[in-house]
């Protein structure tokens, strides 16, 4: 990235002219896509086409007459900036590289299909290539070439699931305010689709199991790293894999948020049906029931034939009485108390196990930070704090515990010096409401020399 390049300023220049050239209006954009589709089908063997072909695109897509083509002549010339190249001698057009990348990216996104087996194979290949790299050149090639080559495909699978969810939500919104019976069937299809997406998310999570093995190898590489040029790529790889797992959890949580609303909507839809059935039942009782006299002359309510009479009195059965001394049993209250104690013990054990697990995670993060200080001579904790938030799914409590442990471990430590700059306030992108002073830990010079 070039620091002196004003990206936004360039896009906004001349009343957004550059932006409009990069992203043409929908009709011109569709014309470019039409030409690209013909290009993929092999309609342009020389990879060139004439202006008549562009006019044909307008005619097939929008049915424009010649006068309207004239109106678009000026706009077509705008495509020469980034999309088309015009050969004045031969009077033909060809695609510029930006047009190819622009259309191909849209093509890949829309074509993307769910394939967890392919993701598993990709991750396995990445892991084998990483394990086969034993030199700094080999590792640099893996970080610069192997990993970036597969990142779009891995992200594309998660994007595919999110797009499927959005399509289900759009389908739900389309039917939400309809009153006909077809909405029930449409909603059932949406629920079924969301269940399928959740299963696909589980399959994709399982396919990413190779990531754990890659992270273990990266941990070992980071712990024994002798090449400073690899430190930043290793950190970036950790962040990428953490983001992948985080995005998978986001997909699952989004389904969790949608499904209760679907159940509520089903309840709302079924309530009028239930009320109608209750009303018809009561009307049937009022119309078809009558009072009759029995053999003794008393009036009794006779329900309709298809409704069984109410059983008001049940004869009391004759049960034998067993003395406690003949059949001793434990008191129910004691058994109940025992069950309660067992439940309390299970809850206490689960709480204790969770506390131990979190403490282990804190210890692991503190150990990683100490390794970072050992390798680099110094480390800035706020960037490490951000990495904790990303990988631990924004668990602020855990990140703060790590910060507290780091502060205690490195304060007044004869091997390290810890400095806090209370003039520099650091903010975190994933937690906008959270900020901290800049904290730097350095390895003391005596330890470095030894």
């Amino acid at each position: 990235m070039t620091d002196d390049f004003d990206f936004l300023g360039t896009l906004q220049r001349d009343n957004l002219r550059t932006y409009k050239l990069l992203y043409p209006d929908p009709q011109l954009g569709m014309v470019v896509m039409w030409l690209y589709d013909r290009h993929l089908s092999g309609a342009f063997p020389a990879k060139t086409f004439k202006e008549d072909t562009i006019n044909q695109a307008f005619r097939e897509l929008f049915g424009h007459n010649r006068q309207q083509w004239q109106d678009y002549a000026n706009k077509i010339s705008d495509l020469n900036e980034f999309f088309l190249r015009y050969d004045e001698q031969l009077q033909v057009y060809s695609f510029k590289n930006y047009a190819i990348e622009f259309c191909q990216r849209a093509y890949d996104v829309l074509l993307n299909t769910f394939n967890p087996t392919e993701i598993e194979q990709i991750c396995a290949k990445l892991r084998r290539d990483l394990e086969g790299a034993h030199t700094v050149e080999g590792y640099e090639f893996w970080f610069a070439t192997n990993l970036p080559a597969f990142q779009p495909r891995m992200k594309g699978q998660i994007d595919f699931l999110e797009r499927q969810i959005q399509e289900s939500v759009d389908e739900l919104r389309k039917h939400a305010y309809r009153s006909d019976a077809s909405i029930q069937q449409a909603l059932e299809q949406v629920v079924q689709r969301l269940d399928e997406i959740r299963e696909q998310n589980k399959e994709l999570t399982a396919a990413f199991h190779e990531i754990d093995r890659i992270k273990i190898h990266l941990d070992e590489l980071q712990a024994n790293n002798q090449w400073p040029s690899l430190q930043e790529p290793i950190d970036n790889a950790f962040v990428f894999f953490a983001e992948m797992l985080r995005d998978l959890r986001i997909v699952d949580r989004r389904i969790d948020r949608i499904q209760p609303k679907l159940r509520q909507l089903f309840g709302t839809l079924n309530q009028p049906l239930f009320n109608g059935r209750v009303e018809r039942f009561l009307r049937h009782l009022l119309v078809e029931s009558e009072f009759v006299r029995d053999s003794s002359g008393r009036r009794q309510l006779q329900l309709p034939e298809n409704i069984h009479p109410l059983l008001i009195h049940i004869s009391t059965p004759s049960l034998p009485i067993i003395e406690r001394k003949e059949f001793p049993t434990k008191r129910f209250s004691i058994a109940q108390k025992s069950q309660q104690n067992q439940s309390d013990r299970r809850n206490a054990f689960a709480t204790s196990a969770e506390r131990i697990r979190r403490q282990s995670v804190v210890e692991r993060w503190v150990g990683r930070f100490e390794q970072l200080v050992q390798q680099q001579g110094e480390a800035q904790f706020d960037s490490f704090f951000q990495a904790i938030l990303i990988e631990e799914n924004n668990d602020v409590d855990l990140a703060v515990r790590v910060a507290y442990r780091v502060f205690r471990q490195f304060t007044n430590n004869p091997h390290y010096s810890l400095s806090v700059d209370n003039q520099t306030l650091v903010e975190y992108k994933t937690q906008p409401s959270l900020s901290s002073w800049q904290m730097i830990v350095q390895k003391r010079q005596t330890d470095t020399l030894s």
Side-chain angles (χ1 to χ4, degrees):
M1 181 179 294
T2 306
D3 295 335
D4 58 354
F5 174 60
D6 186 3
F7 176 60
L8 289 179
T10 304
L11 289 174
Q12 294 173 326
R13 190 176 301 154
D14 297 333
N15 195 23
L16 299 177
R17 181 178 183 276
T18 303
Y19 178 87
K20 294 174 182 176
L21 292 174
L22 285 168
Y23 301 96
D25 68 58
Q27 289 185 325
L28 278 179
M30 282 301 299
V31 168
V32 173
M33 294 295 181
W34 186 93
L35 293 169
Y36 183 73
D37 184 63
R38 296 292 302 274
H39 161 72
L40 291 179
S41 66
F44 309 136
K47 299 184 189 274
T48 60
F49 45 89
K50 294 183 176 294
E51 188 171 348
D52 288 343
T53 308
I54 301 177
N55 291 337
Q56 180 185 354
F58 277 113
R59 185 170 58 254
E60 291 189 11
L61 291 171
F62 311 112
H64 288 179
N65 57 40
R66 188 167 187 81
Q67 178 58 43
Q68 289 170 309
W69 298 340
Q70 296 287 344
D71 295 338
Y72 269 95
N74 293 331
K75 290 191 175 183
I76 292 175
S77 66
D78 290 341
L79 295 176
N80 293 335
E81 185 78 22
F82 294 109
F83 287 87
L84 303 180
R85 180 179 293 106
Y86 182 64
D87 186 333
E88 294 184 358
Q89 183 178 357
L90 299 177
Q91 295 186 343
V92 293
Y93 290 89
S94 61
F95 285 116
K96 288 187 175 181
N97 186 60
Y98 177 77
I100 298 292
E101 293 180 353
F102 182 89
C103 297
Q104 187 62 44
R105 181 58 183 157
Y107 184 89
D108 291 341
V109 168
L110 297 178
L111 179 66
N112 196 13
T113 55
F114 181 70
N115 192 348
T117 303
E118 180 186 2
I119 293 301
E120 188 171 10
Q121 293 171 350
I122 288 174
C123 293
K125 185 178 187 311
L126 282 174
R127 190 254 309 162
R128 290 193 300 270
D129 290 341
L130 178 62
E131 292 175 348
H134 302 293
T135 63
V136 62
E137 292 80 9
Y139 286 121
E140 287 177 345
F141 183 83
W142 189 88
F143 285 115
T145 304
N146 291 0
L147 182 60
F150 293 119
Q151 282 177 335
R153 183 61 181 147
M154 290 190 284
K155 289 182 178 180
Q157 288 289 283
I158 300 177
D159 294 344
F160 173 80
L161 293 182
E162 289 186 328
R163 196 162 64 252
Q164 295 298 303
I165 295 176
Q166 188 58 48
E167 289 177 0
S168 299
V169 172
D170 292 341
E171 185 72 16
L172 177 62
R173 288 172 178 165
K174 184 172 68 175
H175 293 281
Y177 299 104
R178 294 175 56 181
S179 57
D180 54 68
S182 65
I183 183 176
Q184 188 85 6
Q185 183 178 1
L187 289 178
E188 289 174 356
Q189 293 174 354
V190 171
V191 171
Q192 182 181 0
R193 182 65 190 128
L194 288 175
D195 289 338
E196 292 174 0
I197 295 171
R198 187 186 291 278
E199 288 303 315
Q200 289 176 336
N201 194 43
K202 291 179 181 178
E203 292 177 29
L204 193 58
T205 303
F208 277 117
H209 73 277
E210 288 283 355
I211 289 181
D212 293 331
R213 299 176 65 180
I214 293 175
K215 290 171 66 176
I216 292 174
H217 195 90
L218 290 177
D219 273 326
E220 295 174 355
L221 175 62
Q222 188 176 52
N224 304 304
N225 182 25
Q226 303 173 355
W227 306 294
S229 62
L230 295 182
Q231 187 57 51
E232 185 176 354
I234 292 174
D235 293 339
N236 291 338
F238 275 123
V239 171
F240 169 73
F241 290 129
E243 288 176 347
M244 296 293 295
L245 298 177
R246 179 203 63 194
D247 292 344
L248 286 169
R249 289 192 292 266
I250 288 175
V251 170
D252 217 36
R253 285 199 300 269
R254 190 175 182 193
I255 298 176
D256 288 337
R257 289 196 303 270
I258 294 173
Q259 286 185 323
K261 296 178 182 178
L262 283 172
R263 288 193 292 269
Q264 182 181 3
L265 185 55
F266 270 120
T268 303
L269 291 173
N270 289 328
Q271 189 64 42
L273 179 62
F274 175 76
N275 293 342
R277 289 176 176 175
V278 170
E279 184 179 351
R280 288 194 298 272
F281 175 72
L282 294 177
R283 186 181 297 111
H284 178 66
L285 287 179
L286 292 173
V287 173
E288 301 297 333
S289 300
E290 59 181 349
F291 282 101
V292 297
R293 293 187 180 276
D294 60 10
S295 58
S296 63
R298 290 183 301 178
R299 296 181 64 193
Q300 288 188 345
L301 178 65
Q302 181 175 327
L303 299 176
E305 293 182 358
N306 58 340
I307 299 178
H308 297 290
L310 296 176
L311 186 61
I312 299 176
H313 175 72
I314 302 176
S315 58
T316 305
S318 176
L319 299 175
I321 299 176
I322 300 176
E323 296 290 340
R324 180 177 296 276
K325 61 183 180 180
E326 297 175 3
F327 191 71
T329 59
K330 294 182 179 180
R331 292 185 179 180
F332 179 76
S333 60
I334 296 176
Q336 193 174 34
K337 183 176 180 181
S338 175
Q339 292 177 357
Q340 181 64 37
N341 289 340
Q342 291 178 3
S343 177
D344 291 343
R345 283 196 294 271
R346 284 195 296 269
N347 293 337
F349 178 80
T351 302
S352 177
E354 174 63 15
R355 188 181 299 115
I356 293 173
R357 186 195 69 81
R358 290 180 67 83
Q359 183 63 30
S360 176
V361 174
V362 170
E363 294 285 352
R364 177 169 57 83
W365 279 108
V366 173
R368 283 178 59 176
F369 183 74
E370 186 173 7
Q371 288 180 356
L372 189 63
V373 176
Q374 286 282 352
Q375 294 163 5
Q376 298 183 354
E378 69 173 31
Q380 191 169 320
F381 183 76
D382 51 88
S383 58
F384 192 78
F385 189 89
Q386 178 66 52
I388 298 174
L389 290 175
I390 293 175
E391 189 161 336
E392 299 297 339
N393 196 24
N394 281 331
D395 191 336
V396 177
D397 178 73
L398 188 143
V400 171
R401 288 176 183 271
V402 174
Y404 177 72
R405 282 292 311 279
V406 167
F407 186 80
R408 285 189 57 188
Q409 181 166 328
F410 294 98
T411 301
N412 298 326
N413 191 314
H415 305 291
Y416 302 95
S417 65
L418 183 146
S419 60
V420 177
D421 183 4
N422 56 13
Q423 302 297 321
T424 304
L425 197 62
V426 180
E427 297 181 347
Y428 302 95
K429 295 179 180 179
T430 57
Q431 289 289 337
S433 60
L434 190 65
S435 60
S436 66
W437 289 330
Q438 186 181 76
M439 183 167 68
I440 298 176
V441 176
Q442 293 179 316
K443 189 177 179 182
R444 294 190 186 276
Q445 190 66 25
T446 54
D447 293 330
T448 304
L449 293 176
S450 62

